[in-house]
Amino acid sequence: MEAEVPSEDVNDIEIVVYNPSCREYAEKFHHELTNKMDLRVEVLYPKPNIPTQTIIDNISSRGVQSVVSLDTDNMNKHTINIRVLRGPFQKIYKNLPQAEAFLLITKIYNC
């Protein structure tokens, strides 16, 4: 049986930024999630040679419920990709407009 990670040590969401030029866009989204929704959020800037699935598997193994991934396409279109790893909303949501992404996150985390 796998040991559960204490919830107080687990981020609610991790934001994965695939291009350093998206830093400001990611930090703005991070600010909204932490300050307005009171969620525990971390921003990650993985090395380009690490496969996406390896990143997701690592995040999931730590008990994180959702992953937001951002690239230049998202930044240019003002969209968000959300991968919900656990719970009733478990699914990949691609290219959600920001307002829809915030509504989904509000539903997932009851905030």
Side-chain angles (χ1 to χ4, degrees):
M1 184 174 190
E2 203 173 300
E4 262 190 56
V5 179
S7 62
E8 65 269 5
D9 292 338
V10 177
N11 290 322
D12 296 306
I13 298 173
E14 295 201 0
I15 301 172
V16 180
V17 183
Y18 292 104
N19 188 316
S21 68
C22 299
R23 180 182 208 108
E24 187 176 319
Y25 185 62
E27 288 177 359
K28 178 183 174 198
F29 197 68
H30 175 268
H31 176 78
E32 295 282 328
L33 296 174
T34 56
N35 293 334
K36 293 186 179 178
M37 297 183 159
D38 199 32
L39 297 172
R40 290 179 56 119
V41 182
E42 184 175 345
V43 181
L44 307 173
Y45 298 92
K47 293 180 181 177
N49 62 333
I50 300 174
T52 298
Q53 192 57 51
T54 301
I55 296 165
I56 300 300
D57 290 346
N58 180 281
I59 292 169
S60 180
S61 73
R62 291 185 269 120
V64 177
Q65 186 172 356
S66 303
V67 176
V68 168
S69 59
L70 300 173
D71 59 24
T72 52
D73 191 45
N74 296 116
M75 183 177 69
N76 293 334
K77 294 179 180 178
H78 302 286
T79 61
I80 307 287
N81 298 323
I82 301 173
R83 183 181 298 220
V84 182
L85 304 171
R86 296 175 169 64
F89 295 95
Q90 188 172 0
K91 182 179 166 181
I92 298 172
Y93 302 85
K94 291 188 175 188
N95 300 313
L96 289 176
Q98 289 179 5
E100 285 183 40
F102 283 117
L103 281 174
L104 176 62
I105 291 168
T106 299
K107 289 178 186 177
I108 293 169
Y109 295 98
N110 297 314
C111 53

